[in-house]
Amino acid sequence: MEKPEYTIGVTALNAIDNPGPGIPVIRALREAKSFNVRIIGLSYESLEPGIYMHELVDKTYQIPYPSAGTDLLLERLEYIQDQEKMDVIIPNFDAELFSFIKLQPKLKAMGIHVFLPTPEQFEERLKVNLTEFGEKYDIPVPESEAIFSMDKIADIANDYDWPVLVKGKYYDASVVYNIEQARIAFNKISSKWGLPIIIQKFVHGTEYNITGLGDGKGNTIAAVPMRKQYITDIGKAWGGIAVSDDHLLELTRDFIAKTKWQGGFELELMKNKKGEFILLEINPRIPAWIYLAVGVGQNIPEALVNLALGKRVEPFKKYSVGKMFIRYSWDMMVELSEFEKISTTGEL
Amino acid sequence: MKIKNNIAVSDSGFVFNPATGESFSANPIGMEIMELLKKGTPTQEISNTILEKYETDAPTIDKDLHDFIQILKQYTLIEEHGKA
Amino acid sequence: MEKQRYERPMIKKLESNMPNKFGMRTEYRPMTHIDNVAVKDLIDEYGSPLFVISEKTIRNNIRSARKAFETRYPKVQFAWSYKTNYLDAVCRTFHQEGSWAEVVSGFEYDKALHNGVDGSKIIFNGPDKTEEDLNKAIKNNSLIHIDHLDELYAISEIAPGLNKKAQVAIRVNMDTGIYPMWDRFGFNYENGQAWDALNKIMRTDAMELVGLHTHIGTFMLSPNAYAVAAGKLADLAIGIKDKYGHEIKYIDMGGGFASKNKLKGTYLPGTDINPSVNDFAEAITGALINSNFKPDNLPLLILETGRALIDDAANLLGTVISNKRLSDGRRSTILDVGVNILFTSFWYDHKITPAQPFTQYAEDTVLYGPLCMNIDVIRENISLPLLNKGDHVVIQHVGAYNMTQWMQFITLRPRIVMIDPENNVHVIRERETLDRLLEFEKVPDHLKTFDL
């Protein structure tokens, strides 16, 4: 049977030292067995490497930052849609997810499908709501408290024992070892991201990550756990290994079943000394290390596209253990004229 | 005062300085002025050209031209010692 | 040959994190008209700066807010929050749409009477009600929302002398899970102050307890906080019914709904993330319907929504005075709009749109007002198209608080016009004049003359 060809828009082409998931997602789509693809890159900045990777990305358009508002984003996507007739868009940046979730009905009317968490799922898993999330779904999370005033730090930190994590509402976190450091972190993070600040109990242990895909009805379509082998200065995985842990998989299926999660996600977990898994964070999108999942037999981006298009997708039942990924960097040669083109016309 | 010889200004308004590796973007009037400067046109003549072509007045163009040239100097796109 | 539109020459370094301004022809569109009236004509005729209020937008806003509540709850009453914008033309538009008046001072109270609002449809809030104010309010059967015990005692002394029962409610403050918690107004729920005050009212003949009031904060982004508040007021009302067999007539949820403005420091624009009136309506009515009130005996629900109904109904037109280059190379633009008439620029990033066509080229700019005062900054950093001297801009969503909190400082305050639904323009407040201001002043005789 002839394979269909889909046109798919992908964001986060920043394959740099703190990489976005765009390029690995595109690699996965290019290896899809059920369809062929034409890839439309959607970029924010003109030096995102993916713009220039023509063997992976067929054409790139710049899109406005989420801070410009959904009206402008929609207007730009309408223009792009006139040229490209995209079937699916896979947004991969945290900061843009809200806009794409909000635009979902309008995109659908334009013929563009997405497969994203519902607004409620997106809201529930926010860092500030993690405690309630854990209670609601009976998933162990680290003790934490959202505070609006620095005076509260001392009380909480003394309850938790040092060190503690000081986290921003949306981004930023630092581990602090005494009250002075906590105050500095409180000021630094609150000046950037506002209040509240979250003080979280520090969980000692080994970090595990899971990427997966929920169909929105409570079924687990895919789930692959990974342990980071090597971590960069800024905490990103430089190498990681697929692991087999029934407990982790059980926990993931439980998470999907209870939340009826729709779309791709990544769970960040800590295994403490007692061997319990504590949920640290839920990222409502595909992670940058997604290619490991593809490499061990679960092509999550392919399945996500099929779900977005309303196709029946059989859950992945297994994956091969004992494979690892090692990231490397690569210096690409780029003609200045290409940089000129994306910079001045917003297209390449 | 003259735009440095090796500076390339493309039709899209993309300006590249091969000596420093910096690139810039100019709007159409900016490009027009850079082309004139490249030919060594005196600023008074540039003012007159712009004034003839666009809906504006002499004080405005004088002020804006002066400011533009200051910025070109700041970006080291202009040869300070060239002839005026 | 016809001359082309002039745009100042511009060159900009391409940084590695260069945003998408270049090649993005859709980034901005000019706002040339307001309700079909050309911005340029408005400024030519009425001067710059100029506040322009759209009557049509006000009516649409109040109608859709009423619809949001009335489709969810049987008895709803809006009361126009005078302090948000007490121009007579604005207040009367709301009164024509059925809104009562909500006032917080004797001055506002008198203004509501002057506008023709019946005393029994004026809600009197706030911590500062003089004896004279209370006298008037009791006589007129106005709804007095008691803020503190001293006021409660004052009413119990005044009312008997007037042979009237004062119609009262108390304002209740409470923890609704939001920060900051407003505990300076009214009586606290959690520590029992509110219950105590209610008992005091029930035990005197001077007052009739007709309602319960709360106002939990300002520019609220969490509808759920209103659900918590409504639930707590319902509990108090049920408590009074159980203890005294007395039924209150209304629950007043106050105001505080966020408008669509963008608060400074937030990442996504307010038009995208701020909850709609529907969201607030769902939270409040849901909480009341789920409370222990009998379904056939629900109290009247009063809302004092101000900002969310008026903010987007007004624009402020301004004109570019000059473009300047600062010492560090940054571009700055001076407008004739200062912070003295645009107070809200201290906490919002107002949307500012040129009123004439422009190209896709833009520059990062500091936007200053015309005052010879360092604080007069409308915006620290905004990416704007290349404006020329004399160009016009439209500053959007300025309807709430600016036309009440503004002050006469250095310059005279400008005109305010309203465009009616047939697109006719009416001056609703004249520009200030020197003569007008001098009427307030008196010069002692010995200071009348001098030699220089």
Side-chain angles (χ1 to χ4, degrees), chain C residues 208-433:
Chain C
E208 187 188 352
L209 180 71
V210 289
L212 289 170
H213 171 226
T214 188
H215 189 130
I216 57 175
T218 189
F219 213 87
M220 302 289 297
L221 296 171
S222 160
N224 185 52
Y226 282 90
V228 174
K232 288 186 173 174
L233 288 191
D235 285 349
L236 284 177
I238 303 290
I240 289 293
K241 171 134 197 282
D242 287 349
K243 184 163 175 185
Y244 298 97
H246 176 80
E247 279 177 7
I248 58 147
K249 293 182 182 140
Y250 66 85
I251 283 204
D252 181 344
M253 291 303 298
F257 300 168
S259 68
K260 295 294 182 187
N261 252 311
K262 182 176 184 293
L263 279 181
K264 283 191 188 297
T266 54
Y267 183 64
L268 294 169
T271 42
D272 282 353
I273 55 165
N274 297 356
S276 68
V277 173
N278 273 310
D279 298 328
F280 291 113
E282 186 68 30
I284 292 171
T285 59
L288 289 180
I289 287 166
N290 294 335
S291 72
N292 288 327
F293 284 120
K294 296 224 168 65
D296 55 347
N297 206 16
L298 288 164
L300 174 71
L301 169 59
I302 297 181
L303 297 143
E304 301 170 353
T305 314
R307 188 197 311 271
L309 297 181
I310 188 73
D311 227 1
D312 67 343
N315 292 288
L316 176 53
L317 312 185
T319 304
V320 175
I321 294 173
S322 177
N323 287 306
K324 273 175 103 162
R325 183 73 64 181
L326 301 176
S327 64
D328 59 2
R330 279 182 305 159
R331 167 65 70 180
S332 73
T333 295
I334 307 170
L335 292 178
D336 62 358
V337 172
V339 291
N340 58 323
I341 61 166
L342 190 65
F343 247 84
T344 49
S345 59
F346 288 121
W347 54 87
Y348 297 141
D349 285 341
H350 282 287
K351 187 161 192 219
I352 300 174
T353 310
Q356 53 284 310
F358 48 84
T359 67
Q360 78 271 31
Y361 297 93
E363 226 176 351
D364 287 344
T365 306
V366 190
L367 215 48
Y368 292 122
L371 306 179
C372 197
M373 285 287 286
N374 202 38
I375 56 158
D376 193 19
V377 183
I378 298 296
R379 199 71 158 272
E380 288 290 349
N381 185 19
I382 180 172
S383 171
L384 275 181
L386 309 175
L387 295 166
N388 296 323
K389 173 179 155 50
D391 278 355
H392 302 312
V393 296
V394 183
I395 304 171
Q396 289 153 66
H397 296 200
V398 300
Y401 296 103
N402 284 307
M403 284 162 265
T404 46
Q405 287 189 35
W406 60 348
M407 58 179 165
Q408 190 275 312
F409 178 58
I410 299 183
T411 54
L412 297 169
R413 283 178 286 191
R415 278 197 178 107
I416 301 174
V417 298
M418 183 184 255
I419 304 178
D420 71 23
E422 277 76 48
N423 305 332
N424 304 306
V425 183
H426 308 267
V427 175
I428 60 167
R429 192 181 196 272
E430 262 306 342
R431 76 157 66 92
E432 280 172 343
T433 59

Side-chain angles (χ1 to χ4, degrees), chain C residues 72-88:
Chain C
R72 294 176 166 91
Y73 194 84
K75 289 183 278 180
V76 178
Q77 178 62 51
F78 277 81
W80 177 241
S81 154
Y82 265 48
K83 67 175 178 287
T84 312
N85 188 320
Y86 44 57
L87 289 163
D88 283 354

Side-chain angles (χ1 to χ4, degrees), chain A residues 226-240:
Chain A
M226 175 273 280
R227 192 168 74 87
K228 291 179 183 175
Q229 295 280 83
Y230 182 79
I231 296 174
T232 65
D233 297 346
I234 49 172
K236 302 291 152 187
W238 201 256

Side-chain angles (χ1 to χ4, degrees), chain A residues 45-59:
Chain A
E45 293 173 357
S46 42
L47 282 184
E48 292 179 25
I51 299 170
Y52 307 96
M53 301 168 103
H54 304 306
E55 67 290 355
L56 289 174
V57 182
D58 293 294
K59 169 109 197 220

